[in-house]
Each structure stands twice: as C-alpha cells, then as structure tokens.
Amino acid sequence: MALLRKINRVLLVLLVLMVFLLLHSSLLRATRPKFSDHRKKLGGTARAAAGPVSEEDNVIPVIICASEERLGAAMTTINSVYSNTDSTVFFYIVTLHDAVKLTRQYIKKTKLRDIKYKILEFNPMVLQGKVKPNSSRPELLHPLNFVRLYLPLLDINHKRVIYLDDDVIVQGDIKDLFSIKLKPGHAAAFATDCDLPSTHEVVRSIGMQTTYMGFLDYRKQEVRDLDINPRECSFNPGVFVADVGEWKKQKITKQLEKWMEMNFRKNIYSSAMAGGVVTPPMLIVFHDKYTTLDPLWHIRHLGWGPDVRYSDSVLQEAHLLHWNGRFKPWNNPGMHVDRWEKWFVPDPSGRFSLVQPESNS
C-alpha cells in the first residue's frame, strides 16, 4: 500500500508539472508580437526563388510591380537592370494573386531564370475607402499602382530599397542609384520635374504641367491650408530610393492614407494631371522633405505623346528612361521604341506581345 501511495504522489506531481507547462506555453503565444491587420491585408509572400534576404547579404533590393496585362513590361525592366550591373540585385516582384503563376513561369522559362527574386502578393482590399473609381486614365487606378505607398508593409527586410515603375529601362549601373546619399530626415529621393534643360524643352512642346498646380485643386481650402506655392516644381514618383526605417519612423504610409481618404471625401486633387491619385498625396507628404536624384537617373515623358522626341545624345547619356504617359513602347504608336525593345524578353506563354505599326504596303 505504501508503494502505491508513493506512485500516486509521483503521478500527481507529474500532472501538476504538465498543467504548468501548458499554461506557460499558452501565455507565451498570447504575448508574442503579431503583424498588424493592416499588414495582413497586403497579402503574403508567394513561393520564392530564394530564402530570406537581408542587408547583410550585400544585395541591391529592387521593387517592381508586375500586372498580368503588363507582365512583359516588368520583365523588360528587370532584364535591363540585371544586364547592366555586376552587383547582386534581388527583385521583389509584386503582383496580384491571379498573376503569380504566370510571373513565375515567365522567369523560369526565359533568360531571366538566373535572377534572384521573390514574388509578393498585394491585396487590393487595403485601398477601400481611399480610391475613387473615376479617372481620365482608368489604367492608373490599377491596385498595383499604389504599392509604392505601402513599401514598409511588404514582406522585405532591408533598410533601403529602390522602387521602379514597369515602364522604365535602366541603362546605367543600378548600384550608382542605390548608393545615393539621402539627407538626414529624408525618407526618399526623387527626381524633380524641373531639373534638365532637355526635359524643359519636351515639357514646353507638349504643354505638360510640372508644378503643384497640376496635381492639386487650389480652389479647395484643404489645399490652400498646406501653404505650398502652386508654382513650386513637382516630382515624379515612378523612380525613387527609399529609406525604409525613416519611412516607418515618420509614419509616411499613414500620412499618405490620410490624404487619399481626404480626396475620397472632398476631391482635393486636380483633374488635370492626378489620374491615378498616386502622385498628389506623395507631393503633399514629401513636400520639402526629399533628396533630389541625379536627373540622368530619371529621363521621363517618353510616353507623353506620339511626337515626343529626345536627341540621341540625351538618350545615350541617360541612366534611366521612363515612358510615363499613355504611349507605351510596347504599343503603337510609341516613341524611342528601339531603346526599349533592346531589353524585351518575349513572353513564353504568348500572352504579352508587342503591337507593331501597320505596314503601308
């Protein structure tokens, strides 16, 4: 009997220990930090081509969006970056759920199979209540056009990143762009719209607006209260370098969302240029708080009209060319198409193809 009592005591002690361990484990799970709901809305990471990458890996992180209908454009941009540097570049390719498989196949079945990359999914639900469905250019309302506003919430682990639109090609070494020194307190570096004489000439020829007046409606009190000179030069957010830590510290994304929601309620953007409602909130939030890029790292407006032409010397000297505007180099008509086609990687699925000019014969 004595032996039986001892066995019962041991079993009781073991039972108490097990209960204690279970409670301790539950408490640890309850107090473990979780991602915010805001980050969850952006979506997770699709199957990646490499493991986790950080600053210590000595890579240059480049973020580019790849929509299903413009997948070939994004791959052309990637090819131009990859082909013009000896540095290790890691591409974060952001797309929507339906295009993940196509994106992976495009890479694996072409010359791009050797790039280092990760595919990230973007959930457009994050834009509810922030973007109106009316625009003179509906393509600018594509959800991926807003990814640049949410960079710190993506599944990346870098202090600094480069963001590129999918209608650019890089002719220089991306390492030089990545190495720019940002001024203290600045979360990003952009190219202004008033930086190169060659750009001025093109802007004058097409009557394009390059000041805040072209993006904000100064008839609205909320805009006037900003006390920003309407004639102040704007910048283009299609190419920029971002300090992710500073972006988080200043809560840039929350500031941008504030103005998106304001426009949703009160229409504070100008209808002349705003279009995709991406540039106006960035102009407000980054006003007088951004570093200026070397203008050769953003020669733009190549897609602004069928008659927009730069001299060969300007095109040759440019480190980056941007076909912002309606006239893309993969469509017809397009300008300086030869510069873009040099880096084009044909779509193995045949979905994305170039629109060739009609023959006169």
Side-chain angles (χ1 to χ4, degrees), residues 4-17:
L4 185 59
R5 283 197 297 271
K6 287 182 179 180
I7 292 174
N8 287 336
R9 288 197 198 101
V10 171
L11 289 174
L12 182 62
V13 170
L14 288 174
L15 182 61
V16 171
L17 284 172

Side-chain angles (χ1 to χ4, degrees), residues 124-133 150 256-266:
M125 294 299 290
V126 73
L127 300 174
Q128 282 191 337
K130 303 178 184 71
V131 180
K132 288 192 172 183
Y150 295 93
L256 292 167
E257 288 187 320
K258 167 191 169 184
W259 290 104
M260 292 167 71
E261 291 165 356
M262 176 79 73
N263 181 66
F264 189 84
R265 298 192 309 270
K266 300 188 177 182

